[in-house]
Amino acid sequence: MALERSAPAPGAVPPGAGAGRQVWRRVRRRPSALAAAAVLALLVLLALAAPLLSHLTGQDPGAYHDDLVDSARGGVPLGSFGGISADHWLGVEPGTGRDLFTRLLYGARISLLVALGAVAVQTAVGVGVGLAAALGGRFAGRLIGLATDVMIALPMLVIGIALTAVVPPDFPRPLLLILLIGLFDWGGTARMVRAQTLALRGLDFVDAARLSGNGTLRIARRELLPSLAAPVITIAAIKVPTAMVAEASLSFLGVGVKPPTPSWGQMLSSAQTWFRADPAYVLLPAGLLFVTVLAFTVLGDAVRTALDPREGSRLRVGTGKESKA
């Protein structure tokens, strides 16, 4: 009797052409998820259009304006609310007079690029390591599991600070941040993939592929990876805000991008000395970082629930409401 693929868990989204549409239908039923998606879409659009908006406003993010700051007071912006005017919509940077609106836009490009790039790296490494640990035999699994535990225990911030003394100054800092965050934060993804793979490899469809003469790599590529898509996408969506906070923390500590290239973490690092004199210079990048991280978190939670609606059902136990698939 031919072995058949086991049926997916009730309510789970099976891999297939219509899976994306099914997930989207579930996500759009949550107003909070739609609001988060709209905020992120607007932020990405503004970041991509930063050069155009900079040209339209006539402001260069690296141009100094000494006439817009009060040198007698240490460089505090002239005017109210950080020097807001018709030319400078969000005011100017203390000490330099650089336009804050354009610097925030260019800073969003760096923060989003680093976060998304780091998540891509750590997802690729985590999936590969997790599959190898689950399919490589008992000895390989223990060895890889030990290496994963070591990577999780390593202090990324301390290593990042140490790298500043080793990495050449001309090495691209955004790429350094992507590699640092991505290569030191894949342990959680690897553990999840290993656990899911161990649960999947005993199912009928994997046994059928093995009996058909398929090798380990072919089974992993054609049978296991499609079944792992939902949990991998879920953990990747949740990792994005974590990566953004990590980039801001590293930039705050001086490991991130160097001036004049702006980033939100770098702006927060330089803003700590201006909190009393110019609160807007602190609140603007901090507020944007908070809103972006919150939006990614809300959207990631919505994607997780859409990919496995049983999670939403568990949260509503005792309310008398059932989850609609």
Side-chain angles (χ1 to χ4, degrees):
M1 182 176 61
L3 295 175
E4 298 179 355
R5 177 185 288 266
S6 298
V13 178
R21 291 191 296 270
Q22 188 175 354
V23 170
W24 168 242
R25 284 197 299 269
R26 291 173 177 173
V27 169
R28 68 183 182 184
R29 291 173 184 165
R30 303 181 61 170
S32 59
L34 292 179
V39 169
L40 293 175
L42 177 61
L43 179 65
V44 171
L45 181 62
L46 290 174
L48 293 176
L52 176 61
L53 293 174
S54 176
H55 177 72
L56 291 176
T57 58
Q59 301 297 332
D60 185 345
Y64 285 62
H65 301 282
D66 296 332
D67 57 320
L68 299 178
V69 296
D70 188 355
S71 58
R73 298 175 57 197
V76 177
L78 297 172
S80 57
F81 302 105
I84 292 178
S85 64
D87 295 327
H88 304 280
W89 299 348
L90 296 180
V92 296
E93 186 179 59
T96 63
R98 292 180 293 192
D99 183 69
L100 198 53
F101 175 70
T102 55
R103 289 188 64 78
L104 287 170
L105 291 181
Y106 278 90
R109 294 168 70 112
I110 296 295
S111 297
L112 290 173
L113 173 65
V114 170
L116 296 176
V119 169
V121 171
Q122 68 189 27
T123 299
V125 175
V127 170
V129 172
L131 285 173
L135 302 176
R138 181 175 299 179
F139 177 75
R142 290 180 178 177
L143 185 62
I144 295 175
L146 179 61
T148 302
D149 293 339
V150 171
M151 292 301 299
I152 292 175
L154 288 176
M156 181 180 63
L157 294 179
V158 176
I159 294 176
I161 295 174
L163 284 177
T164 57
V166 179
V167 178
D170 57 346
F171 190 86
R173 285 307 177 97
L175 179 58
L176 175 62
L177 290 174
I178 290 174
L179 295 177
L180 180 62
I181 299 172
L183 296 178
F184 281 88
D185 196 25
W186 50 263
T189 303
R191 283 182 170 178
M192 182 276 298
V193 170
R194 179 180 181 274
Q196 292 288 331
T197 303
L198 289 175
L200 290 170
R201 71 177 186 177
L203 298 182
D204 291 347
F205 71 94
V206 177
D207 291 336
R210 187 179 297 111
L211 292 174
S212 299
N214 294 311
T216 301
L217 292 178
R218 185 177 179 87
I219 292 174
R221 186 178 69 253
R222 300 193 60 180
E223 304 295 340
L224 295 176
L225 283 178
S227 299
L228 291 170
V232 168
I233 292 173
T234 300
I235 196 171
I238 296 174
K239 284 284 187 179
V240 172
T242 305
M244 291 198 71
V245 173
E247 182 275 329
S249 301
L250 289 168
S251 296
F252 182 84
L253 294 173
V255 183
V257 296
K258 295 297 183 182
T261 304
S263 79
W264 291 346
Q266 177 203 102
M267 295 175 72
L268 286 172
S269 178
S270 60
Q272 59 182 329
T273 59
W274 299 99
F275 180 74
R276 294 184 180 275
D278 186 12
Y281 185 46
V282 181
L283 295 177
L284 284 173
L288 282 173
L289 181 62
F290 171 77
V291 170
T292 305
V293 170
L294 179 62
F296 269 117
T297 303
V298 171
L299 187 60
D301 181 70
V303 171
R304 175 182 59 82
T305 305
L307 289 170
D308 186 5
R310 292 174 300 175
E311 292 291 333
S313 299
R314 295 189 191 106
L315 295 176
R316 291 190 291 271
V317 171
T319 62
K321 299 180 181 180
E322 296 182 356
S323 175
K324 296 180 180 180

